[in-house]
Amino acid sequence: MVEIFVKYLTDRASFTDADLAKIDAVTVTKQLKRRQYLLHEGQICQYNAFVTSGLLRLYRVGTDATEHILRFAAENWWLSDHESFQSGLPAKGAIDALEDSQLLLWSKENWEMLRREIPAFDALQTRLTSRALDAQANRLHVAISYSAEEKYHAFLRSFPDFHNRVPLHMVASYLGLSRETLSRIRKHDVLH
Amino acid sequence: MVEIFVKYLTDRASFTDADLAKIDAVTVTKQLKRRQYLLHEGQICQYNAFVTSGLLRLYRVGTDATEHILRFAAENWWLSDHESFQSGLPAKGAIDALEDSQLLLWSKENWEMLRREIPAFDALQTRLTSRALDAQANRLHVAISYSAEEKYHAFLRSFPDFHNRVPLHMVASYLGLSRETLSRIRKHDVLH
């Protein structure tokens, strides 16, 4: 199994060699070139993904016909259209690669088998879902209460290495700001 | 046990009489008058709550020193500062009652005992957390992509009975809009 993922798992919980072998047996590796899609809007999200290298985004097209980025995912992050993966309904979001990326994938059937048969894996996923809920609540608080300046500065603090990897218009899209507003903030930062 | 909660549980999963008795034994009933607090910012959120009647809100005070409502909770909804309840760290949010309310409460210790000892209860909570994550993702999409008008109309569709129960300035706070913007939208709706 890919070393970074074994380290990720064993850093967070105790897995026996038999557990790891069982996970390995149903893990599929996938390479994506920059701009290639893992999921298109309206498809059913068949896989849960773990990023071992590269950078991806999950976005939705809004009623204004522009792309709004809900999440980025770099090394050691999980990514799926969670609602579609869980429900089997068409995805509201799309997932594509912003850099050449390598992923590990699990089908829903194998995913549920792992959760059912490996208690440590199930407990880890329950914990991650609980944390994801907290992260979303914090992000929502930022979205409805921070000024544009505060949003951008919070982004830089949360993702110190991202602003070199993500084009500016995508940072604006993630923050719910116009490109013009974000450019103005950055210019102001440089001058002060 | 309070009838509305028994119905809530048995509508969603199979519980034996022994399960229900076990839940009942650790359920605490709490009355809150309008404007009374269940949780203050900075306290540790000791309880997970289920609302059997009334209406509450979870809010955070922003860097702009105003209240930003993250969630409402009416009959049949769960409410806690999830992050604080899970982590035992001080809450970033506060919870108070917008109407005289009746709640059921569980301490963290009892909550974990129920999840450990009643598989159907644990599975239900896992499902609810997963759905809460999807609801938050949808709300975030609304926050970063919808126009002010679209936000208000989506709120009316999602909570058709709330706009008579929640003061206008709180709807604005929930949507991340100024009162003036919301008043302008409502005036426009009446005239068109």
Side-chain angles (χ1 to χ4, degrees):
Chain A
M1 194 150 54
V2 179
E3 204 177 326
I4 182 176
F5 184 58
V6 174
K7 181 169 161 42
Y8 175 93
L9 289 176
T10 52
D11 278 355
R12 283 163 182 78
S14 290
F15 293 94
T16 65
D17 287 347
D19 290 341
L20 293 175
K22 191 176 269 182
I23 296 170
D24 189 30
V26 295
T27 300
V28 174
T29 307
K30 170 116 185 157
Q31 312 277 346
L32 279 187
K33 288 273 173 209
R34 180 164 169 262
R35 296 195 177 165
Q36 222 180 330
Y37 276 77
L38 180 67
L39 176 72
H40 289 278
E41 185 193 328
Q43 285 182 337
I44 292 159
C45 181
Q46 310 262 12
Y47 300 101
N48 199 5
F50 180 88
V51 184
T52 55
S53 71
L55 180 65
L56 299 97
R57 64 172 176 163
L58 166 68
Y59 71 89
R60 291 192 193 172
V61 176
T63 49
D64 55 358
T66 65
E67 294 167 0
H68 297 275
I69 297 175
L70 292 178
R71 287 192 52 198
F72 294 111
E75 299 82 9
N76 276 323
W77 290 25
W78 298 90
L79 187 62
S80 70
D81 184 304
H82 181 265
E83 188 171 9
S84 173
F85 184 69
Q86 292 296 329
S87 66
L89 294 171
K92 296 175 189 162
I95 297 173
D96 64 354
L98 304 182
E99 300 173 357
D100 292 352
S101 301
Q102 187 181 308
L103 310 173
L104 306 178
L105 302 181
W106 296 268
S107 70
K108 178 124 162 89
E109 193 185 345
N110 285 326
W111 186 258
E112 289 181 347
M113 180 276 288
L114 292 177
R115 291 196 67 157
R116 209 167 43 237
E117 297 191 5
I118 307 176
F121 191 79
D122 187 54
L124 175 61
Q125 295 304 329
T126 298
R127 194 145 42 93
L128 290 171
T129 304
S130 176
R131 295 234 188 107
L133 191 62
D134 299 334
Q136 289 270 39
N138 288 324
R139 178 131 187 252
L140 181 66
H141 177 64
V142 167
I144 66 173
S145 79
Y146 279 28
S147 69
E149 285 76 9
E150 289 170 331
K151 283 177 188 173
Y152 179 59
H153 295 143
F155 178 82
L156 293 182
R157 280 195 305 277
S158 298
F159 306 110
D161 70 321
F162 268 32
H163 74 288
N164 294 319
R165 295 172 73 180
V166 176
L168 203 61
H169 72 275
M170 289 195 190
V171 176
S173 159
Y174 179 85
L175 296 175
L177 303 177
S178 70
R179 291 188 209 194
E180 294 69 29
T181 301
L182 188 55
S183 297
R184 185 174 48 71
I185 294 167
R186 284 165 51 98
K187 242 175 241 161
H188 187 270
D189 283 358
V190 170
L191 294 174
H192 290 80
Chain B
M1 196 149 54
V2 179
E3 204 177 328
I4 183 177
F5 184 58
V6 174
K7 181 169 162 42
Y8 176 93
L9 290 176
T10 51
D11 277 356
R12 283 162 182 79
S14 289
F15 293 95
T16 64
D17 287 347
D19 290 341
L20 293 175
K22 191 176 270 183
I23 296 169
D24 190 29
V26 295
T27 300
V28 174
T29 308
K30 169 114 185 157
Q31 312 278 348
L32 280 185
K33 287 274 171 207
R34 180 165 170 260
R35 296 196 176 161
Q36 224 181 328
Y37 276 78
L38 180 67
L39 176 73
H40 289 277
E41 183 192 329
Q43 285 182 335
I44 292 158
C45 181
Q46 311 262 12
Y47 301 101
N48 199 3
F50 180 88
V51 184
T52 54
S53 72
L55 180 65
L56 298 97
R57 64 172 177 163
L58 166 68
Y59 71 89
R60 291 192 193 172
V61 176
T63 48
D64 55 358
T66 64
E67 295 167 358
H68 297 276
I69 297 175
L70 292 179
R71 286 192 53 200
F72 294 109
E75 300 81 10
N76 276 322
W77 291 26
W78 299 89
L79 188 61
S80 69
D81 184 304
H82 181 265
E83 188 171 9
S84 173
F85 184 70
Q86 292 296 328
S87 67
L89 294 170
K92 296 176 188 161
I95 297 173
D96 65 352
L98 304 182
E99 300 173 357
D100 293 351
S101 301
Q102 187 181 308
L103 309 173
L104 306 179
L105 301 181
W106 297 267
S107 71
K108 179 121 159 89
E109 193 185 345
N110 285 326
W111 186 257
E112 289 181 346
M113 179 276 290
L114 292 177
R115 290 196 67 157
R116 209 166 43 237
E117 298 191 6
I118 307 176
F121 191 79
D122 186 55
L124 176 61
Q125 295 304 329
T126 298
R127 194 144 42 92
L128 290 171
T129 304
S130 175
R131 294 232 189 108
L133 190 63
D134 298 335
Q136 288 271 40
N138 287 324
R139 180 135 184 249
L140 180 66
H141 177 65
V142 167
I144 66 173
S145 79
Y146 280 28
S147 68
E149 284 76 9
E150 288 170 331
K151 283 177 187 171
Y152 179 59
H153 295 142
F155 178 81
L156 294 182
R157 279 195 305 276
S158 297
F159 305 111
D161 69 322
F162 268 32
H163 74 288
N164 293 319
R165 296 171 73 178
V166 176
L168 203 61
H169 72 275
M170 291 195 188
V171 176
S173 159
Y174 179 86
L175 296 175
L177 304 177
S178 70
R179 290 188 209 193
E180 294 69 29
T181 301
L182 187 55
S183 296
R184 185 173 47 71
I185 293 166
R186 285 165 49 98
K187 243 176 238 158
H188 186 270
D189 283 357
V190 169
L191 294 173
H192 290 79

